[in-house]
Amino acid sequence: MYQTIQRIPAIKRAKAMPKVEAPQEFTLIDQLLAEQKQLQTPVAKFSEVHHRKNPDLADHYRSLIPLTKPGVGEQYAFEVSLDRCTGCKACVSACHSMNGLDEDEAWRDIGMLHGGERNRTWQQTITTACHHCADPGCLGGCPVGAYEKEKDTGIVRHLDDQCIGCSYCILKCPYDVPKYSKKRGIVRKCDMCHQRLAEGEAPACVQACPTEAIRIVTVASNQPAHFLPGAPDPSVTRPTTSYVGRDIPESALAADREALTPQHAHWPLVIMLTLTQVGLGLLAAPLLGLAPSSGPVVSLGSPPVINLKALETLVFTPTASSFVLLAALGIFFAGMGASILHLGQPLKAWRFFLGLRTSWLSREILAFSLFAPIPILLAALHFSPEFPFKSLIHQVTVWSAFPVGLAAVFTSVMIYVDTHRSSWRFPITASRFFGTVLVFAALSLQLAAPSPLHAILTLTAICLKLIPEARMLRHAEDPDAAWTPDRHTALLQLHPLGPFLRARHLLALTAAFVAFINPWAALPLLILSEILERQLFFQSVYAPKMPGNFGPGGHH
C-alpha cells in the first residue's frame, strides 16, 4: 500500500519532465547572421551619438577642425579619409540645406574611382568640393575680381555681388567646382562655411558625415597636398585637399572618364566668336579697296605676274565692295550683341578692367572694344563726302584695322588655351579661329571682285581649315587604342555629335563650290558651317573634373 501510494507521484513527475533534445549545431552563416544583428551601421552610430549627447555636441565637432587660425604660410584645407567614406551623400545634403542651394545645384559631389586587374578589382567612393587651391585658376581668370583668397585662412571665396555670370571660372577650374545659378545669373561655390569656422563650428559637410570622413586641417600653402590619382593634374592650380587613409594606385581611373557626354554648347559664345571672326575676315576686300574694275592683283602665268596697275588703282567704289563692307559691319556687330547674352549680369560688365592683369577675358573685352569703332569709321568714311584730312584718317584706319582685329582674335584664342584643356591647346584653337578669318577674307575677295583666282583661293582656304579638323578624327580609328583626351574628342564628334559634324563638312564643301557660281549664295552656307564647327569646338572638348559615377552621364 505504501509502495503504491509513493509510486504515483513518481510516475507523474516522470511524465512532467521535458524531453531532452540533442544540442543544435550552428553553421557559419548562422553565426554571421547573429553577429550582424549586433552590428551598427555608421548612420546608426551617428544617430546614437546624437541621441546620447544631444543637444550639446559642440565639443565633439571641434575635434574635427583646427581651434586656432593658420600661421604664416599656412591655410585651412579639407582632409578626406578614404577608408571612412561610404558615399552616403550626407555631406551633399547638409551642404545643400545649409547654403540654401537651388534644386539642381550642388557644391559638394560624390564620385568613384576604380581599377585593378581582371581577377582583382576595386573601387573607391570620393567626396569632393572646392579645394581652395594655393594658385586658384578661378581667381586669376575672373574678369571682374569676383574671387578673393583670404590672407589669414587661405579660403577661396566667391563674391556674389561682384559676379557678372560669364562662367569663365567654370572653364578655368579643372575640378568642376564653380556652379552657375540660372535663377540668380551668377556663379557660386563652396566657401568652407567660413562663417562657422570663424565661430569655432564645423562646416556643414564635416558635421553631417556619419563616419567623420571629412575634417578641416591646417596645411602649408607651398607644400603639395596628397592628391588623388585619376583626378586632374594638381600642378595647374595646386589644390590643398588631402586624401588619406588608403593608398590609391597611380593606375586609378575615374568611373566616368570614358562617358561620351557632350559639354555645354554655350550658344551665345558660339555666335559671338563665329560672327566677329567672319566680320573681321570680310573686311579684307574693303580694306584693300578691291573692286571689279581693278582686276586680279596676281595673274596666273608662267611665271605669275603681279599687276602693279591694279595695286595703284585700288579705290573704294559704290559697288560690290560697298555691300561687302556693310555685310562685314552688320555681321560683326551681330556677334558683339550675342556676347551680351552670355552674361548673367551684363550691367556689371563695365568692371572688366579689374582683371586686365590676369584675365584673358578682360583683355578680349578691351581688344574688341578698341576694334569696334574701326569698321564703323570705315563705313562712315566710305559714304561721306570729301573733307580735310579724310585721306589721312582713312589711311590710319585701314592700317590699324587688321593689327587690332587680329590681336582681338588672339585674345579669344588665349581665353581657351588658358583653361589648360587638351582639346583647346594653342595649335588647335588658333587654327580654328584664325582659319575662320582667313576663309572669309578669301571669300570677301570673291564677293568684291569675282574671278576664278579668288574662287580658288576660297576653296583652298576652306580645305586648309578642314584638314586639322579631319586629323583629329583619326584618333578614333583604332577601337583598341588607349584613351586620350583627343580620342575622347574624336569619339564625341563621330558618335553623339556625328550629325553636326557631317552637316558642317557638307555645308563647307558646298559653299566652296557655290562660290565659283554665286559667292553671295555661298556666304550664308559658309557662316552656318562655321557655326556648326564652333558648336563642335565647345561640345566635344574633354573637360577635366573630379571623378564622377558610372553611367552614361557620369553624374555626381
PDB file of all heavy atoms in Angstrom, residues 394-405:
ATOM      1  N   HIS A 394      41.509 107.970 -93.286  1.00  0.00           N
ATOM      2  CA  HIS A 394      41.198 106.686 -93.910  1.00  0.00           C
ATOM      3  C   HIS A 394      42.422 105.771 -93.909  1.00  0.00           C
ATOM      4  O   HIS A 394      42.334 104.572 -93.613  1.00  0.00           O
ATOM      5  CB  HIS A 394      40.713 106.913 -95.343  1.00  0.00           C
ATOM      6  CG  HIS A 394      40.496 105.641 -96.095  1.00  0.00           C
ATOM      7  ND1 HIS A 394      41.440 105.118 -96.954  1.00  0.00           N
ATOM      8  CD2 HIS A 394      39.454 104.765 -96.097  1.00  0.00           C
ATOM      9  CE1 HIS A 394      40.991 103.977 -97.463  1.00  0.00           C
ATOM     10  NE2 HIS A 394      39.788 103.749 -96.966  1.00  0.00           N
ATOM     11  N   GLN A 395      43.593 106.333 -94.208  1.00  0.00           N
ATOM     12  CA  GLN A 395      44.809 105.529 -94.254  1.00  0.00           C
ATOM     13  C   GLN A 395      45.161 104.974 -92.873  1.00  0.00           C
ATOM     14  O   GLN A 395      45.518 103.804 -92.737  1.00  0.00           O
ATOM     15  CB  GLN A 395      45.965 106.374 -94.796  1.00  0.00           C
ATOM     16  CG  GLN A 395      47.241 105.579 -95.042  1.00  0.00           C
ATOM     17  CD  GLN A 395      48.323 106.415 -95.684  1.00  0.00           C
ATOM     18  OE1 GLN A 395      48.163 107.625 -95.859  1.00  0.00           O
ATOM     19  NE2 GLN A 395      49.436 105.782 -96.027  1.00  0.00           N
ATOM     20  N   VAL A 396      45.041 105.815 -91.842  1.00  0.00           N
ATOM     21  CA  VAL A 396      45.334 105.356 -90.471  1.00  0.00           C
ATOM     22  C   VAL A 396      44.354 104.268 -90.050  1.00  0.00           C
ATOM     23  O   VAL A 396      44.732 103.260 -89.429  1.00  0.00           O
ATOM     24  CB  VAL A 396      45.287 106.545 -89.493  1.00  0.00           C
ATOM     25  CG1 VAL A 396      45.387 106.051 -88.051  1.00  0.00           C
ATOM     26  CG2 VAL A 396      46.406 107.534 -89.800  1.00  0.00           C
ATOM     27  N   THR A 397      43.091 104.456 -90.411  1.00  0.00           N
ATOM     28  CA  THR A 397      42.075 103.464 -90.050  1.00  0.00           C
ATOM     29  C   THR A 397      42.341 102.133 -90.730  1.00  0.00           C
ATOM     30  O   THR A 397      42.256 101.066 -90.101  1.00  0.00           O
ATOM     31  CB  THR A 397      40.674 103.980 -90.442  1.00  0.00           C
ATOM     32  OG1 THR A 397      40.443 105.249 -89.839  1.00  0.00           O
ATOM     33  CG2 THR A 397      39.604 103.012 -89.970  1.00  0.00           C
ATOM     34  N   VAL A 398      42.676 102.182 -92.017  1.00  0.00           N
ATOM     35  CA  VAL A 398      42.945 100.951 -92.771  1.00  0.00           C
ATOM     36  C   VAL A 398      44.142 100.197 -92.186  1.00  0.00           C
ATOM     37  O   VAL A 398      44.099  98.980 -91.982  1.00  0.00           O
ATOM     38  CB  VAL A 398      43.161 101.269 -94.257  1.00  0.00           C
ATOM     39  CG1 VAL A 398      43.741 100.059 -94.992  1.00  0.00           C
ATOM     40  CG2 VAL A 398      41.852 101.696 -94.898  1.00  0.00           C
ATOM     41  N   TRP A 399      45.215 100.937 -91.902  1.00  0.00           N
ATOM     42  CA  TRP A 399      46.425 100.295 -91.418  1.00  0.00           C
ATOM     43  C   TRP A 399      46.278  99.753 -89.997  1.00  0.00           C
ATOM     44  O   TRP A 399      47.026  98.850 -89.585  1.00  0.00           O
ATOM     45  CB  TRP A 399      47.600 101.262 -91.480  1.00  0.00           C
ATOM     46  CG  TRP A 399      48.148 101.413 -92.865  1.00  0.00           C
ATOM     47  CD1 TRP A 399      47.934 102.444 -93.733  1.00  0.00           C
ATOM     48  CD2 TRP A 399      48.993 100.488 -93.546  1.00  0.00           C
ATOM     49  NE1 TRP A 399      48.583 102.229 -94.926  1.00  0.00           N
ATOM     50  CE2 TRP A 399      49.256 101.018 -94.846  1.00  0.00           C
ATOM     51  CE3 TRP A 399      49.552  99.264 -93.218  1.00  0.00           C
ATOM     52  CZ2 TRP A 399      50.050 100.368 -95.777  1.00  0.00           C
ATOM     53  CZ3 TRP A 399      50.346  98.610 -94.144  1.00  0.00           C
ATOM     54  CH2 TRP A 399      50.589  99.153 -95.405  1.00  0.00           C
ATOM     55  N   SER A 400      45.348 100.291 -89.232  1.00  0.00           N
ATOM     56  CA  SER A 400      45.161  99.809 -87.854  1.00  0.00           C
ATOM     57  C   SER A 400      44.133  98.691 -87.754  1.00  0.00           C
ATOM     58  O   SER A 400      44.085  97.977 -86.741  1.00  0.00           O
ATOM     59  CB  SER A 400      44.736 100.969 -86.948  1.00  0.00           C
ATOM     60  OG  SER A 400      43.480 101.498 -87.359  1.00  0.00           O
ATOM     61  N   ALA A 401      43.315  98.517 -88.793  1.00  0.00           N
ATOM     62  CA  ALA A 401      42.204  97.573 -88.706  1.00  0.00           C
ATOM     63  C   ALA A 401      42.671  96.137 -88.474  1.00  0.00           C
ATOM     64  O   ALA A 401      42.268  95.488 -87.498  1.00  0.00           O
ATOM     65  CB  ALA A 401      41.344  97.663 -89.967  1.00  0.00           C
ATOM     66  N   PHE A 402      43.503  95.624 -89.344  1.00  0.00           N
ATOM     67  CA  PHE A 402      43.898  94.221 -89.221  1.00  0.00           C
ATOM     68  C   PHE A 402      44.788  93.948 -88.010  1.00  0.00           C
ATOM     69  O   PHE A 402      44.597  92.934 -87.333  1.00  0.00           O
ATOM     70  CB  PHE A 402      44.566  93.734 -90.509  1.00  0.00           C
ATOM     71  CG  PHE A 402      43.593  93.041 -91.424  1.00  0.00           C
ATOM     72  CD1 PHE A 402      43.300  93.574 -92.659  1.00  0.00           C
ATOM     73  CD2 PHE A 402      42.939  91.874 -91.040  1.00  0.00           C
ATOM     74  CE1 PHE A 402      42.388  92.957 -93.512  1.00  0.00           C
ATOM     75  CE2 PHE A 402      42.032  91.253 -91.876  1.00  0.00           C
ATOM     76  CZ  PHE A 402      41.753  91.785 -93.117  1.00  0.00           C
ATOM     77  N   PRO A 403      45.775  94.800 -87.677  1.00  0.00           N
ATOM     78  CA  PRO A 403      46.544  94.518 -86.459  1.00  0.00           C
ATOM     79  C   PRO A 403      45.681  94.455 -85.198  1.00  0.00           C
ATOM     80  O   PRO A 403      45.818  93.545 -84.383  1.00  0.00           O
ATOM     81  CB  PRO A 403      47.538  95.689 -86.395  1.00  0.00           C
ATOM     82  CG  PRO A 403      47.687  96.123 -87.804  1.00  0.00           C
ATOM     83  CD  PRO A 403      46.342  95.927 -88.436  1.00  0.00           C
ATOM     84  N   VAL A 404      44.767  95.420 -85.047  1.00  0.00           N
ATOM     85  CA  VAL A 404      43.915  95.424 -83.861  1.00  0.00           C
ATOM     86  C   VAL A 404      42.932  94.251 -83.909  1.00  0.00           C
ATOM     87  O   VAL A 404      42.685  93.580 -82.902  1.00  0.00           O
ATOM     88  CB  VAL A 404      43.155  96.762 -83.736  1.00  0.00           C
ATOM     89  CG1 VAL A 404      42.208  96.736 -82.540  1.00  0.00           C
ATOM     90  CG2 VAL A 404      44.140  97.919 -83.600  1.00  0.00           C
ATOM     91  N   GLY A 405      42.376  93.995 -85.101  1.00  0.00           N
ATOM     92  CA  GLY A 405      41.426  92.896 -85.229  1.00  0.00           C
ATOM     93  C   GLY A 405      42.062  91.544 -84.959  1.00  0.00           C
ATOM     94  O   GLY A 405      41.495  90.705 -84.254  1.00  0.00           O
TER      95      GLY A 405
END
